[in-house]
Amino acid sequence: MLIGIIVLFCCAFIFPALYSATWYLLFILALFFVLDILILFSSKNGIEAERTTPEKLSNGDENPIVISLKNFYTFSIEVKVIDEIPFQFQVRNFEIKRKIKNASKDEFQYSLRPTERGEYFFGNLNVYVSSPLRLISKRYKFNKDQMVPTYPSYIQLRKYDLIAFSNNLFQYGVKKIRRIGHTMEFEQIKEYVPGDDIRTLNWKATAKKNSLMVNQFQDEKSQNIYMVIDKGRVMKMPFNGMSLLDYAINATLVLSNVILKKQDKAGMFSFSKKVENRVVAEKRTSQMQKILESLYNIKTNFFESDYSRLYVDIKKNINQRSLIILYTNFETMDGLHRQLPYLKGIAKSHLLVVVFFQNTELYEITNKKSQTIQEVYDKVIAEKFIFEKKLIVTELKKYGIYSVLTQPENLTLDTINKYLEIKARGIL
């Protein structure tokens, strides 16, 4: 409107009759401008807004942030919401516009996906209010300097919470493991029902009860399971915005919950130049909180990991035969051979599972059609590295070391699969 009046003033130099009419329009505009100020600023608390965040953010997951608005004005308003999102997200263009009727509420949400653990600080929740005249806006500020910590993925933890008890695991992506033989832990004698293994018939109990009775066995419980996280520089490699270290941390949290639900003892520690963040394997009710707090503080130190220190620490502190799940990454056979003597030493006393990662970018190169000599060369090199990963699996198997070669996004399910397979086969 103001631009239109300026144009009219310019035209008044050519058509003098417009001069008076333009001043008249300018007076009306000033009158509406003052009126807009009065109706907007007459109320100190014309609107109420609140940002509701989770108690803690889940790393690597979409976290809902809810904005609630309440209009106390006696007329409909238009609002523009600008939330000052933590700098880690690098969001510079956040803006949401809404229309709210008088004496009514409105609520909407957006989501944030953090890729680092730590503290995230929200700034002001800015709400710009305009009346139906829409000449000016009044700014309201709410929820100043709100801090929300980001923890390992507890959303995945809830997702797989019932996995230890479910008989239908295919919906989770968990494969069915064929049980070989029976576990050695006796549970009870029960009456035979169709489908029970006739090899478990208890003839003495059958004679006493005069009906078929069978022995029922259960998975062995209270076995030590340790998850070991390599926090050296090889785990800093990024994938989909997160480092391999963070994928390993998320998988450790979920697997710990499954282990405890299976009545086993869950423990963990990390290592690089030295062993840190130790949680001794137990199955107390407070164990998950201990593991969660330890995982929250793990950060890479960019050093080359010392496997000799890891071997000595395990030999000194873990006396009972345990399942040790080692999250690390090997890119070449040379890298494996440098650490293989220490892995073989650990595998002599414990059941060792080495979890390492596929480089998904290499698969993208090999699947792409080559157009130039350089692309052909790149494809050959990529295939060489992919083949070396498979050779690493074969080399580990030669020395009785189990392995999981997985893509980062499948890490949690693949490690759960391996744990359930080991339990089902009773090889621990």
Side-chain angles (χ1 to χ4, degrees):
M1 185 179 289
L2 185 60
I3 295 174
I5 291 174
I6 294 172
V7 172
L8 285 174
F9 269 120
C10 294
C11 292
F13 284 97
I14 303 172
F15 306 102
L18 293 175
Y19 187 74
S20 298
T22 305
W23 274 107
Y24 179 72
L25 289 175
L26 183 60
F27 174 77
I28 294 175
L29 177 61
L31 191 63
F32 277 110
F33 187 78
V34 172
L35 181 62
D36 205 7
I37 293 175
L38 289 175
I39 61 178
L40 276 179
F41 288 84
S42 60
S43 175
K44 290 185 178 179
N45 300 310
I47 191 169
E48 187 179 274
E50 183 180 11
R51 179 203 303 120
T52 304
T53 65
E55 191 175 313
K56 52 182 178 286
L57 299 179
S58 177
N59 193 26
D61 299 310
E62 296 291 341
N63 297 264
I65 311 296
V66 179
I67 304 293
S68 302
L69 301 169
K70 187 173 183 180
N71 181 14
F72 291 106
Y73 286 105
T74 57
F75 49 85
S76 297
I77 59 173
E78 292 186 6
V79 299
K80 182 170 68 174
V81 180
I82 299 178
D83 199 359
E84 296 178 4
I85 295 172
F87 71 89
Q88 289 95 332
F89 296 102
Q90 293 297 300
V91 177
R92 305 298 185 194
N93 57 348
F94 182 92
E95 182 181 302
I96 296 176
K97 294 181 179 180
R98 312 288 284 190
K99 198 168 187 176
I100 309 175
K101 294 181 179 180
N102 59 304
S104 63
K105 297 179 180 179
D106 191 14
E107 186 175 282
F108 62 90
Q109 72 175 36
Y110 63 94
S111 61
L112 295 175
R113 180 181 180 267
T115 56
E116 297 177 0
R117 286 162 290 115
E119 296 180 342
Y120 285 64
F121 288 90
F122 287 83
N124 294 325
L125 175 61
N126 302 287
V127 181
Y128 293 86
V129 180
S130 299
S131 72
L133 296 175
R134 290 188 290 182
L135 293 175
I136 65 167
S137 295
K138 180 180 179 181
R139 185 177 76 164
Y140 291 87
K141 294 192 295 185
F142 304 93
N143 295 104
K144 185 179 180 181
D145 297 332
Q146 181 182 4
M147 191 280 287
V148 183
T150 297
Y151 275 75
S153 180
Y154 63 85
I155 290 180
Q156 287 189 37
L157 178 66
R158 293 170 184 168
K159 179 181 177 183
Y160 299 112
D161 192 40
L162 297 177
I163 199 169
F165 303 109
S166 176
N167 293 321
N168 182 21
L169 300 179
F170 295 103
Q171 58 182 313
Y172 298 101
V174 179
K175 64 183 180 182
K176 186 175 181 180
I177 306 298
R178 184 171 67 90
R179 185 178 297 275
I180 301 176
H182 294 286
T183 53
M184 299 301 293
E185 195 162 324
F186 174 78
E187 184 178 11
Q188 63 176 348
I189 300 174
K190 71 178 189 72
E191 192 168 339
Y192 173 84
V193 294
D196 285 337
D197 190 347
I198 59 173
R199 292 174 297 177
T200 62
L201 283 170
N202 187 318
W203 294 109
K204 288 185 178 180
T206 297
K208 288 181 181 179
K209 288 282 188 178
N210 199 26
S211 64
L212 289 174
M213 306 294 290
V214 294
N215 294 330
Q216 185 173 357
F217 298 89
Q218 62 181 357
D219 287 336
E220 293 185 40
K221 299 178 180 179
S222 300
Q223 294 178 311
N224 286 347
I225 316 293
Y226 278 95
M227 286 142 289
V228 183
I229 300 174
D230 181 353
K231 61 178 184 178
R233 61 171 173 246
V234 296
M235 296 293 282
K236 193 59 180 174
M237 182 182 295
F239 178 83
N240 198 18
M242 291 173 57
S243 67
L244 297 182
L245 178 65
D246 281 308
Y247 280 102
I249 287 170
N250 289 347
T252 297
L253 182 66
V254 176
L255 183 57
S256 297
N257 187 51
V258 174
I259 289 168
L260 292 171
K261 293 290 176 65
K262 282 285 190 181
Q263 300 297 312
D264 280 331
K265 299 177 182 178
M268 56 81 57
F269 54 89
S270 64
F271 80 103
S272 179
K273 297 298 285 184
K274 58 182 180 179
V275 175
E276 298 175 302
N277 310 104
R278 186 188 305 278
V279 177
V280 178
E282 293 176 334
K283 57 177 181 179
R284 297 180 180 178
T285 54
S286 61
Q287 191 70 356
M288 277 305 299
Q289 187 61 33
K290 286 183 181 178
I291 292 173
L292 180 61
E293 294 298 331
S294 295
L295 291 173
Y296 176 76
N297 294 316
I298 294 179
K299 292 185 179 4
T300 184
N301 53 20
F302 299 99
F303 291 121
E304 184 174 356
S305 299
D306 188 348
Y307 279 77
S308 63
R309 181 69 62 89
L310 174 66
Y311 167 70
V312 171
D313 186 270
I314 290 176
K315 188 172 183 180
K316 179 181 178 182
N317 294 299
I318 305 178
N319 299 319
Q320 183 180 349
R321 177 174 169 82
S322 306
L323 169 60
I324 296 177
I325 300 174
L326 171 62
Y327 296 96
T328 185
N329 198 30
F330 294 113
E331 291 293 338
T332 63
M333 286 292 290
D334 290 337
L336 172 67
H337 284 145
R338 286 197 299 270
Q339 316 301 346
L340 193 56
Y342 308 113
L343 297 178
K344 288 161 58 179
I346 295 171
K348 285 181 181 178
S349 305
H350 305 280
L351 182 61
L352 177 61
V353 177
V354 177
V355 182
F356 60 111
F357 299 90
Q358 294 174 343
N359 191 332
T360 53
E361 291 183 359
L362 295 179
Y363 285 91
E364 292 176 6
I365 294 173
T366 57
N367 294 330
K368 185 179 177 182
K369 190 174 181 180
S370 302
Q371 301 289 341
T372 64
I373 297 296
Q374 181 63 43
E375 289 177 351
V376 171
Y377 178 77
D378 292 341
K379 191 171 184 177
V380 170
I381 296 298
E383 289 174 347
K384 173 183 178 295
F385 279 109
I386 291 172
F387 183 68
E388 279 215 47
K389 290 275 188 178
K390 296 176 182 177
L391 286 179
I392 291 172
V393 173
T394 306
E395 187 73 6
L396 290 170
K397 188 177 181 180
K398 188 191 303 182
Y399 298 102
I401 301 172
Y402 291 82
S403 61
V404 176
L405 176 59
T406 180
Q407 296 180 1
E409 69 267 29
N410 299 328
L411 175 63
T412 300
L413 277 175
D414 287 344
T415 50
I416 291 174
N417 270 329
K418 181 57 70 173
Y419 165 70
L420 294 178
E421 177 187 345
I422 289 171
K423 291 293 292 182
R425 294 181 177 174
I427 56 179
L428 179 56

